[in-house]
Amino acid sequence: MTTQTLRDCWTWSSAWHRVLPLCGALTLAFGLAGCNLVNKFVAKDLLNEGARQYNKGHYEKAEKIFKEAIERDPDFLQAKLFYATAIRSRVNNEDGEEQIKTAKQAIEAYLELLKPENEKRLKERDRDQTYAFIADLYKTLDDQKSYQEWLKKRAELPNQKPTTKAECLYSIGVIYWNEATKISRKYETQVPGKLPEVAKPDKWKKEDIDALLQAVQTGLKYIEEAIAVDPRYANAYSYKSLLLKEQAKATADPKVVNQLEQAAQEAVEKFQELNRQAAAELSGSS
């Protein structure tokens, strides 16, 4: 749910104030049905007030107003979307334990949207963003397992766009590249004025070599899947190159190292070619 969505929230101009007398009469005449009607009018007015507060950057105040709207009308899906968005908007403004607490609260609010009775009413765009935001929140929490899980779920959504699916698969590949670099950095020596030098594999612990190669193989699997889904997704080729370079660091056979470095260079060239094509297309359309 984007800020623009909140700004586009329909304006009721406090119309419910004019209909409350009528709703009161309906309440007397129809009992609970009339009461529900009043609550729905009030909830929509609260939604608008919450949107105004959100657009002013008053996220915590907006959050409370959206929550009240949900209490008035528990089936009000848009209020639930805005409520989750307001909580998420506070995450980057906090740190430490407060950030962790708010991120977990935002995840719970988004998971509410994915309950069967709610998810079936979500628009495709809102469903996709909900999965994306949950994944991003787990990334903020440094919960790599859950982050990867939600990237996969987003990639597998029905009617998912190829570029979005490729982006999710690529992002998982990046996770494994990070794992590989954490291992290889243990064997780096900083040389003044030069790039760090990595010790030869015969200086490595066997378990580190095995772990790095496993991370690279898994990362390359997801990167190749991303490329298969969208061959024009340039970033996938960039990280294919980086993963192959990590593999070369832990490889002893000079012939294999040469093959890996050549494949890495080819991936870089493909990355550069796609970026040039994208720039030319953008220039031609402007």
Side-chain angles (χ1 to χ4, degrees):
M1 182 58 54
T2 62
T3 301
Q4 187 61 43
T5 304
L6 284 171
R7 288 176 180 155
D8 292 341
C9 176
W10 64 86
T11 303
W12 280 76
S13 301
S14 300
W16 70 274
H17 288 295
R18 298 194 297 273
V19 300
L20 273 178
L22 173 60
C23 292
L26 287 171
T27 303
L28 292 174
F30 301 107
L32 184 59
C35 183
N36 287 340
L37 181 61
V38 172
N39 281 331
K40 287 182 182 295
F41 275 114
V42 173
K44 288 175 180 177
D45 191 70
L46 287 167
L47 184 78
N48 287 317
E49 177 57 27
R52 284 190 287 270
Q53 294 301 326
Y54 182 96
N55 291 333
K56 292 177 182 177
H58 303 158
Y59 303 133
E60 193 165 358
K61 190 171 183 178
E63 175 190 329
K64 291 177 181 177
I65 296 171
F66 293 140
K67 184 177 181 181
E68 185 180 349
I70 296 167
E71 290 169 352
R72 287 279 188 170
D73 183 2
D75 293 328
F76 198 178
L77 188 63
Q78 195 158 16
K80 292 180 180 182
L81 277 165
F82 288 10
Y83 174 65
T85 301
I87 300 172
R88 182 179 62 84
S89 296
R90 291 199 287 115
V91 172
N92 290 334
N93 295 332
E94 297 172 346
D95 50 34
E97 291 299 319
E98 280 302 312
Q99 185 183 57
I100 292 171
K101 180 181 176 181
T102 303
K104 289 180 177 179
Q105 186 183 353
I107 289 170
E108 287 302 314
Y110 280 116
L111 288 176
E112 171 67 23
L113 291 165
L114 297 183
K115 289 182 177 179
E117 66 272 20
N118 291 325
E119 185 169 6
K120 66 183 180 182
R121 295 189 288 142
L122 284 173
K123 295 178 182 178
E124 278 193 6
R125 180 194 63 182
D126 292 331
R127 182 184 294 109
D128 176 63
Q129 288 190 341
T130 295
Y131 278 77
F133 291 150
I134 292 174
D136 190 59
L137 287 161
Y138 276 120
K139 185 179 181 180
T140 298
L141 292 172
D142 198 26
D143 183 342
Q144 296 297 314
K145 182 178 179 181
S146 296
Y147 173 51
Q148 181 174 333
E149 175 188 345
W150 283 91
L151 285 172
K152 286 182 181 178
K153 288 181 178 182
R154 187 187 180 202
E156 294 164 3
L157 283 174
N159 304 317
Q160 185 58 277
K161 296 177 183 177
T163 299
T164 301
K165 186 170 185 177
E167 179 186 354
C168 292
L169 294 168
Y170 148 83
S171 295
I172 297 173
V174 173
I175 292 173
Y176 287 98
W177 173 78
N178 281 322
E179 284 189 15
T181 59
K182 286 178 183 177
I183 297 168
S184 64
R185 283 195 192 109
K186 295 193 294 184
Y187 297 94
E188 284 183 355
T189 301
Q190 189 63 51
V191 179
K194 297 182 180 179
L195 292 173
E197 292 183 358
V198 182
K200 298 295 182 183
D202 59 356
K203 304 295 184 181
W204 290 40
K205 294 180 180 178
K206 183 180 183 303
E207 57 265 32
D208 284 336
I209 292 177
D210 292 343
L212 183 143
L213 294 178
Q214 181 60 52
V216 167
Q217 289 170 12
T218 307
L220 285 172
K221 169 182 172 292
Y222 284 105
I223 291 295
E224 293 293 356
E225 287 181 12
I227 292 171
V229 170
D230 184 0
R232 288 173 57 83
Y233 191 75
N235 286 344
Y237 295 94
S238 174
Y239 272 82
K240 178 178 180 178
S241 175
L242 291 172
L243 281 160
L244 289 169
K245 288 178 180 179
E246 287 301 312
Q247 184 176 350
K249 292 176 184 178
T251 300
D253 187 335
K255 184 177 180 180
V256 177
V257 170
N258 184 60
Q259 291 172 345
L260 290 169
E261 290 177 346
Q262 183 176 346
Q265 181 59 34
E266 289 172 357
V268 167
E269 289 171 0
K270 184 65 176 179
F271 166 73
Q272 293 170 339
E273 175 191 344
L274 288 170
N275 277 328
R276 284 194 298 270
Q277 289 176 3
E281 291 170 6
L282 185 61
S283 176
S285 64
S286 60

